[in-house]
Amino acid sequence: MEEKKWYHVLWQYLKECRFTALLFAVFAAIFAVILFLYNLETEAVFYATALCAFAAALVLPLRFFIYLKKHRERQRSLKNIEIEYRNLSEGKTLAECDYLEMIDALGRINFGHLTEYREREQENIDYYTTWVHQIKTPISVMRMILQSEDTEEHRELSAELFRIEQYVEMVLCYLRLGSKTTDYVFCECSLDAIIREAIHKYASVFVRKRIKLIFEPSGETVLTDEKWLLFIIEQLLSNALKYTNSGSITIVVSKDKVLTITDTGIGIAPEDLPRIFEKGFTGYNGRADKKSTGLGLYLCRETAKRLSIGITAKSTPGEGTSVSLDLKMRKLLVE
């Protein structure tokens, strides 16, 4: 919250003091009338009124500075209200004491709700994490069964099972990103090795869809978390393959360590492009495809933020999409 200027506080102070000022004027008028009725000198009447006005002129500025000081203290407390609401100064009036009691009661209620929410959130994370790890076992068994015989039907089922594995991995990533704890390990990694691992994962999809892959090794190393960077690249490849029915996918690493994945797919509508990294946004092509969850690119962006990686995209409908990752070295501690 922006701190108010002193003259704004002064205006508020004068507004709050208007009843006292009116009362002072009424009392001064009463005294003046009484002194006049008793046939006292007019000079005495004005002298008494001037003394009262002088006393008010001394007291009011002092009261304003105290008023301003308390306002500043409350503003500082407001910035850390979750911590300091229990340490607020004691009220000097009955109204202040009542307000402090209400604040304390609301704080206790809020803390109780927050504790309950965190417990439920952790229970949900634990449950879904356990579910993800358990579901991997039947998936592995099904893959082994499908690999036992090479038929067209088995190949189709294997492709669908591969998509299930992707969604399961996406759920696990989503849960980890939402967790308060992190498992990031930053070290010098071979960028080519990470890219090759992602390519290997989707090799069967490249073959099945007959999509040409263009990749020239760069020999670059990057300071990052290998597992999470691999996740980003895999998601970008998955998106490129999903929306490319023919043509090629090109992976290029520039000299200043910008990794760009370019496809020759259906592209992204200009009005959708600014929102593709939003959570749950699928865009026109995603809705037409009926397969988009709106989570893949969102997870890429959130992961990239945590790795200090810049991520941008550009696209031309009907020609393809390019997504770039800025992997230049950041000032990070190497583990």
Side-chain angles (χ1 to χ4, degrees), residues 163-180:
R163 289 180 58 197
I164 293 174
E165 287 179 307
Q166 284 183 280
Y167 291 140
V168 169
E169 194 63 34
M170 193 180 296
V171 170
L172 188 59
C173 175
Y174 184 80
L175 292 172
R176 286 172 177 169
L177 285 177
S179 175
K180 298 295 186 293

Side-chain angles (χ1 to χ4, degrees), residues 74-88:
R74 289 193 296 269
Q75 290 295 304
R76 284 193 292 270
S77 298
L78 187 61
K79 293 178 180 178
N80 300 294
I81 191 63
E82 291 184 0
I83 300 173
E84 296 190 9
Y85 85 93
R86 292 182 178 274
N87 301 320
L88 298 176

Side-chain angles (χ1 to χ4, degrees), residues 34-54:
I34 292 174
L35 292 174
F36 177 77
L37 292 176
Y38 276 87
N39 296 319
L40 293 178
E41 296 274 343
T42 305
E43 184 181 351
V45 175
F46 282 113
Y47 182 70
T49 304
L51 284 177
C52 292
F54 178 73

Side-chain angles (χ1 to χ4, degrees), residues 96-323:
E96 288 182 356
C97 292
D98 290 340
Y99 283 127
L100 287 173
E101 286 183 11
M102 286 188 282
I103 291 172
D104 187 63
L106 287 172
R108 288 196 298 269
I109 293 171
N110 180 64
F111 181 76
H113 289 328
L114 184 61
T115 301
E116 183 180 358
Y117 166 76
R118 287 175 175 171
E119 288 176 352
R120 289 182 178 179
E121 183 183 34
Q122 188 58 49
E123 287 176 1
N124 286 335
I125 290 175
D126 292 342
Y127 170 78
Y128 287 113
T129 302
T130 302
W131 178 87
V132 167
H133 288 295
Q134 288 177 336
I135 203 68
K136 285 183 176 182
T137 300
I139 288 175
S140 299
V141 173
M142 284 188 285
R143 180 161 296 283
M144 290 176 61
I145 294 172
L146 291 173
Q147 288 176 346
S148 63
E149 189 176 347
D150 186 18
T151 64
E152 184 63 29
E153 182 182 9
H154 278 210
R155 285 194 292 271
E156 290 296 325
L157 289 173
S158 294
E160 294 303 316
L161 189 61
F162 180 74
R163 289 180 58 197
I164 293 174
E165 287 179 307
Q166 284 183 280
Y167 291 140
V168 169
E169 194 63 34
M170 193 180 296
V171 170
L172 188 59
C173 175
Y174 184 80
L175 292 172
R176 286 172 177 169
L177 285 177
S179 175
K180 298 295 186 293
T181 59
T182 61
D183 60 347
Y184 303 119
V185 179
F186 290 92
C187 60
E188 294 283 354
C189 306
S190 168
L191 183 56
D192 291 340
I194 297 174
I195 295 173
R196 285 194 182 96
E197 187 173 348
I199 292 172
H200 177 74
K201 179 176 180 178
Y202 290 94
S204 60
V205 184
F206 275 99
V207 173
R208 189 174 69 255
K209 298 189 72 173
R210 297 181 180 179
I211 303 297
K212 182 181 179 182
L213 172 66
I214 303 172
F215 169 57
E216 287 292 334
S218 64
E220 297 285 356
T221 60
V222 291
L223 178 58
T224 189
D225 180 284
E226 183 176 0
K227 180 182 70 176
W228 286 101
L229 177 58
L230 174 62
F231 170 79
I232 296 175
I233 296 174
E234 286 178 351
Q235 287 299 313
L236 296 181
L237 274 180
S238 174
N239 260 30
L241 285 164
K242 183 187 299 183
Y243 297 109
T244 303
N245 295 318
S246 63
S248 64
I249 292 177
T250 304
I251 303 175
V252 176
V253 180
S254 66
K255 292 182 179 180
D256 56 350
K257 296 186 180 180
V258 175
L259 167 64
T260 303
I261 298 177
T262 304
D263 62 59
T264 57
I266 59 177
I268 303 169
E271 62 271 19
D272 291 340
L273 191 59
R275 300 185 58 194
I276 60 173
F277 294 108
E278 292 181 13
K279 183 179 179 181
F281 182 76
T282 57
Y284 175 79
N285 290 333
R287 290 188 293 272
D289 183 69
K290 301 292 193 303
K291 297 176 182 178
S292 178
T293 62
L295 283 179
L297 289 178
Y298 164 76
L299 292 175
C300 287
R301 184 192 64 178
E302 293 303 305
T303 306
K305 282 182 182 178
R306 287 159 173 77
L307 299 182
S308 296
I309 294 174
I311 181 169
T312 55
K314 58 182 180 179
S315 182
T316 303
E319 295 183 13
T321 302
S322 293
V323 182

